[in-house]
Amino acid sequence: MRATSQSKQKPINPAAIAARAKAYQAPMIKFLRDIVAIPSESGEEGKVIARIQREMVSTGAFDKVWTDPMGNLFGKVGHGKKIIAIDAHCDTVGVGNRTAWRHDPYKGKIAGGKVWGRGAGDQEGAIPPMVYAAKIIRDLKLPLDEFTLYIVVTVMEEDCDGLCWQYIVNEDKLRPDVVIVTDSTDCQILRGQRGRMEIGVHVAGKSCHGSMPHLGDNAIYKMSRVVREIEGLNKKLAKDKFLGTGTITVSYWECKTPSMNAVPDYAYIHLDRRLTTGETRERAVRQVREACKKAGVVAKVEVPTYERASYTGLVYPTEKYFPTWSVKESSIPVRAAVQTYKSLYKKTPKVHRWTFSTNAVSINGMFGIPCVGFGPAPESVAHTVNDSVPIKHLVDCAAFYAAYPYAYCATKILRPRESKAKVKAKPRRATKSRAGRRTKPKAHRVTKPRRARRMSASRRRSKSRRR
């Protein structure tokens, strides 16, 4: 395989980009601390979006800054044909038990070379580098005629990953050629993830007084048999060498009962199902139904719908099914990412996959838009009391996001050198005769088809006698 000719675009200076990113370390830290200090759980991102928007405008880097009806925030730079987007979600999960935190989750504490707080690692830490990448491009007066860059700050990812991009593609009509997904990669290049879906299981029973349980039909006992079968499914789910194994787990259980001394007449479990290559919505639902049947329980199995309003009040319903996706290591987005990394950091990056889920389940999984992952902080800090991001990652990511569009525009499609049909046969080697003399290789003898002819009667008789 070989690359086609490169773009005529003037080469950029990676060292100048890296130096400018380092120069913006202090303002990026301040910006991130401001963001972390604003609680922004899913559906409540309005205040943090406003703060980010002010920063984007103040840099003077963007041609346009705006929000859509869902509340997603956009900044546009450039006017070229190739559409490149960099995505980060600004919503976070809750803090849980605040006494378990080493540092106040809403202070953006600086300690040990990191910024600490809810969302610092997952994944507001990517937003300052994204914004300042646009400023770096402007400061260095890098060309903007080949691509248009969109900095996209999305909402509601923690509640319903990819819903924001369903709206962006379907309603905003923005369909990039490539998207950098910045959700926690520890500054490594990622190119895929398992999909996921949620499944609800409802079981009905019959209530009676707790002193006479034999007169009822305990919904919890019935559901317990289902749960045992669900647990056993993990040994039977599909495996993939790159993305890993499919998994299923019970993430929530509830029941309904007339009183605390009555047999429950209803039970419900919520399942978290991770999907690997080849696993579909239909297959996953069928497996759960078969598990219920094996348990001897009549149950209703369904895929729930997400219908929560965004902070703007918009409701955009979607089924809680988020497809698996991956892109090839030889694809343009990944090769451009590798080239960007090498040019900036002078070493070869690790190319791997996410364990958790990201907005790419809709960007790539639903719409087929190529994605590549590069973002600050490791996945392991997400949703924990150790939520944090290394300050060095802010600088590294700002440089990467500024340089990537140029590597992407310069990277071309790989194509075969020659088809097998055009490969010439190898000439035969010269050989030695019995006398030891070197002889020329014999030319291939071309035989022509003989023309059919009649044999004379006398010749037929002569041939017959020889036999």
Side-chain angles (χ1 to χ4, degrees):
M1 305 291 282
R2 64 185 175 89
T4 60
S5 60
Q6 298 292 299
S7 168
K8 295 180 180 179
Q9 173 184 282
K10 184 179 178 180
I12 61 169
N13 184 345
I17 290 175
R20 186 66 65 163
K22 181 66 176 177
Y24 284 128
Q25 176 176 296
M28 285 194 290
I29 292 172
K30 181 183 183 304
F31 181 25
L32 177 57
R33 294 186 70 196
D34 286 354
I35 295 172
V36 170
I38 303 171
S40 55
E41 294 182 34
S42 299
E44 301 171 6
E45 306 96 334
K47 290 181 180 179
V48 78
I49 285 286
R51 174 64 185 89
I52 297 166
Q53 187 169 9
R54 288 198 302 274
E55 190 81 12
M56 292 173 76
V57 172
S58 71
T59 64
F62 297 91
D63 299 318
K64 183 181 178 183
V65 178
W66 75 101
T67 56
D68 68 7
M70 178 175 272
N72 301 303
L73 175 63
F74 302 84
K76 179 182 176 184
V77 181
H79 52 271
K81 289 184 177 180
K82 292 181 180 178
I83 308 299
I84 300 170
I86 307 179
D87 167 77
H89 68 84
C90 67
D91 60 314
T92 72
V93 296
V95 299
N97 180 8
R98 291 186 73 145
T99 62
W101 287 75
R102 186 187 313 175
H103 306 294
D104 190 313
Y106 293 126
K107 291 294 184 182
K109 174 77 174 180
I110 299 174
K114 299 178 182 180
V115 177
W116 299 76
R118 175 54 80 221
D122 183 21
Q123 62 118 167
E124 291 174 336
I127 296 171
M130 288 164 54
V131 173
Y132 278 85
K135 185 162 178 56
I136 290 168
I137 290 171
R138 290 292 193 189
D139 288 352
L140 297 178
K141 296 181 172 56
L142 300 179
L144 290 165
D145 55 340
E146 282 200 72
F147 64 86
T148 301
L149 177 64
Y150 287 87
I151 300 301
V152 186
V153 181
T154 49
V155 299
M156 305 185 80
E157 189 274 351
E158 294 291 2
D159 243 18
C160 191
D161 28 329
L163 176 66
C164 48
W165 273 93
Q166 288 186 53
Y167 190 89
I168 290 167
V169 174
N170 290 330
E171 311 302 330
D172 294 337
K173 306 302 180 185
L174 174 60
R175 191 181 184 96
D177 296 300
V178 64
V179 178
I180 301 176
V181 178
T182 64
D183 220 335
S184 308
T185 79
D186 205 21
C187 286
Q188 298 296 327
I189 296 166
L190 306 188
R191 63 178 183 89
Q193 63 172 87
R194 293 179 300 172
R196 77 173 188 91
M197 65 186 297
E198 297 176 35
I199 303 174
V201 182
H202 306 259
V203 168
K206 180 182 176 182
S207 183
C208 70
H209 198 282
S211 65
M212 298 171 282
H214 59 284
L215 298 179
D217 187 13
N218 195 313
I220 289 181
Y221 293 165
K222 294 169 74 174
M223 188 64 86
S224 296
R225 299 199 297 272
V226 172
V227 169
R228 282 194 291 271
E229 294 298 330
I230 294 294
E231 183 181 13
L233 280 178
N234 282 294
K235 300 176 182 179
K236 307 173 184 176
L237 300 180
K239 298 180 180 179
D240 180 80
K241 186 177 180 180
F242 175 61
L243 292 181
T245 305
T247 60
I248 188 168
T249 190
V250 177
S251 57
Y252 178 78
W253 187 324
E254 72 173 34
C255 75
K256 291 181 180 179
T257 182
S259 73
M260 291 298 104
N261 60 353
V263 170
D265 60 1
Y266 171 80
Y268 171 80
I269 57 171
H270 202 81
L271 306 176
D272 179 297
R273 177 72 158 90
R274 301 290 158 152
L275 305 161
T276 194
T277 303
E279 293 188 311
T280 63
R281 174 197 182 281
E282 292 72 24
R283 180 177 177 179
V285 170
R286 183 175 65 251
Q287 287 170 332
V288 174
R289 285 178 176 152
E290 289 172 352
C292 294
K293 185 177 180 181
K294 189 175 179 181
V297 175
V298 176
K300 178 184 177 183
V301 179
E302 63 179 4
V303 179
T305 299
Y306 184 82
E307 297 182 278
R308 184 179 178 184
S310 73
Y311 76 88
T312 65
L314 178 78
V315 177
Y316 199 67
T318 190
E319 191 176 55
K320 292 187 175 183
Y321 166 63
F322 313 99
T324 304
W325 71 276
S326 66
V327 294
K328 292 182 178 180
E329 196 160 349
S330 60
S331 67
I332 288 177
V334 176
R335 286 167 48 228
V338 170
Q339 180 56 39
T340 301
Y341 191 99
K342 287 180 176 178
S343 69
L344 289 168
Y345 314 126
K346 310 305 179 187
K347 57 183 179 180
T348 301
K350 177 182 178 182
V351 180
H352 200 44
R353 59 168 173 82
W354 278 282
T355 300
F356 62 30
S357 188
T358 72
N359 276 333
V361 290
S362 65
I363 304 170
N364 189 300
M366 292 182 180
F367 301 115
I369 298 169
C371 293
V372 64
F374 191 86
E379 285 183 87
S380 59
V381 303
H383 301 189
T384 72
V385 296
N386 297 314
D387 201 345
S388 58
V389 60
I391 290 171
K392 182 180 183 300
H393 285 194
L394 305 183
V395 175
D396 289 347
C397 285
F400 186 96
Y401 301 150
Y404 180 85
Y406 300 94
Y408 178 80
C409 290
T411 304
K412 302 299 178 182
I413 266 181
L414 289 173
R415 65 187 183 191
R417 288 191 182 93
E418 288 179 311
S419 65
K420 290 183 179 180
K422 293 183 179 180
V423 176
K424 296 180 180 179
K426 293 181 180 179
R428 294 187 179 185
R429 294 181 179 178
T431 58
K432 289 185 178 181
S433 67
R434 289 182 182 179
R437 290 177 300 182
R438 197 169 184 81
T439 60
K440 292 181 179 180
K442 293 182 179 180
H444 288 287
R445 183 178 179 182
V446 179
T447 57
K448 295 181 179 179
R450 295 181 179 179
R451 288 186 298 175
R453 57 185 179 180
R454 291 186 178 182
M455 189 181 291
S456 64
S458 60
R459 190 174 178 183
R460 284 197 300 271
R461 285 194 297 271
S462 175
K463 195 171 183 179
S464 179
R465 283 196 296 270
R466 287 199 298 270
R467 289 176 183 165

